[in-house]
Amino acid sequence: MSIPGEWSVGPVRVRAGAGGRRYGASDVFERIPVFADHYDSFAAAYDAENTSSLLNTYYNHPAMVDLAGDVAGLQVLDAGCGSGPLTAALRSAGAVMTGIDGSPEMLATARRRLGDDVPLHVADLAEPLPFADDAFDVVVCSLVLHYLEDWDAPLAEFRRVLRPGGRLVLSVNHPTVFAHLRPTEDYFAVHRFSDEFRFGDQEATLTFWHRPLHAMFDAFRGAGFAVSAVAEPAPAPDTPVELLPPRIVSGERSRFLSFLYFVLTP
């Protein structure tokens, strides 16, 4: 997703967008770990690009850690952990972490970041998870579900592996951003779209599934979850000024739309 003309964060989106406009480095882009092994071809470039990015390092990761709450001593599953930065942050907060991802190369990068004390597994979120019932106190799923057409299977598995009293914390593309970028498309339909991105000197095509807000809530309810919190956070207070949109630096705005956050309870 991108919001045209706000700030420069890279990587560069190279596909023509709404109205035929080509998005460049002055636009907002999300960088997301995906569960498919498609990321194997650019895992290193992806990880390097996002080490100090606005949307990952100073927006998504702090929001996910905050919403996860006190995780000290808790068993936490990072579902779609990618190269492991969120896993590392939650481990630093005292969580006992486990990570899964569909990309062996992303997991290899995660292993280098995390060392040998975090179990990491190659897993497909469309399939049953390789864990027993009630195995985790918290499941975090950061910027992953919007790669899936079907949310029923992963949500059912997250509920199965959560202990009573546990919580699922997740982030997805904010659906209103889709409506802003593609005003001629049907916001209320669940449908697939693709965009091209550049990570360093590598180009990659990423495919997403837009889901309207009501469909998200329908999926949560259908899986037996209650929504205990919804968040549209601001960037972290320690975000470098040079990464922030000019309107936030000037005080005209306090935050921007990019991702939407939920805390769900069984």
Side-chain angles (χ1 to χ4, degrees), residues 5-250:
E6 288 283 355
W7 60 85
S8 175
V9 292
V12 176
R13 185 179 191 170
V14 296
R15 185 180 183 222
R21 181 174 178 274
R22 289 177 63 85
Y23 299 135
S26 63
D27 298 312
V28 179
F29 304 103
E30 85 174 275
R31 277 68 101 218
I32 313 168
V34 68
F35 45 84
D37 61 6
H38 175 63
Y39 262 70
D40 283 351
S41 62
F42 54 90
Y46 171 91
D47 183 65
E49 185 72 46
N50 286 291
T51 300
S52 59
S53 70
L54 170 61
L55 290 183
N56 274 338
T57 303
Y58 296 102
Y59 181 59
N60 182 60
H61 294 161
M64 289 293 291
V65 171
D66 180 62
L67 290 169
D70 183 3
V71 294
L74 299 185
Q75 294 285 338
V76 179
L77 172 65
D78 189 350
C81 65
S83 59
L86 180 58
T87 313
L90 291 169
R91 182 178 63 175
S92 295
V96 180
M97 296 301 301
T98 299
I100 60 173
D101 200 88
S103 167
E105 287 301 318
M106 293 293 270
L107 287 178
T109 303
R111 176 61 68 207
R112 290 190 290 272
R113 171 175 279 117
L114 299 168
D116 296 329
D117 63 336
V118 175
L120 298 174
H121 307 270
V122 176
D124 185 342
L125 290 184
E127 303 293 334
L129 298 178
F131 307 110
D133 296 355
D134 305 333
F136 298 99
D137 301 292
V138 180
V139 174
V140 295
C141 186
S142 173
L143 303 178
V144 173
L145 285 182
H146 47 220
Y147 286 103
L148 290 172
E149 178 182 12
D150 175 29
W151 284 17
D152 294 345
L155 287 174
E157 280 296 283
F158 293 158
R159 192 176 190 282
R160 180 185 67 80
V161 302
L162 273 172
R163 293 169 180 162
R167 57 192 179 273
L168 168 61
V169 182
L170 62 88
S171 57
V172 293
N173 285 339
H174 201 300
T176 61
V177 177
F178 176 90
H180 173 78
L181 292 177
R182 292 175 169 80
T184 62
E185 298 193 35
D186 184 3
Y187 165 84
F188 297 99
V190 176
H191 56 87
R192 179 180 176 178
F193 67 100
S194 296
D195 279 312
E196 295 176 4
F197 293 77
R198 183 177 294 123
F199 302 93
D201 61 355
Q202 292 184 259
E203 293 185 7
T205 300
L206 303 183
T207 298
F208 309 93
W209 285 89
H210 164 70
R211 181 173 262 95
L213 187 61
H214 76 270
M216 296 181 186
F217 277 82
D218 289 347
F220 300 152
R221 184 174 59 251
F225 283 105
V227 178
S228 63
V230 180
E232 296 171 314
D238 62 343
T239 303
V241 172
E242 62 270 18
L243 295 181
L244 289 169
R247 291 178 179 178
I248 290 182
V249 175
S250 68

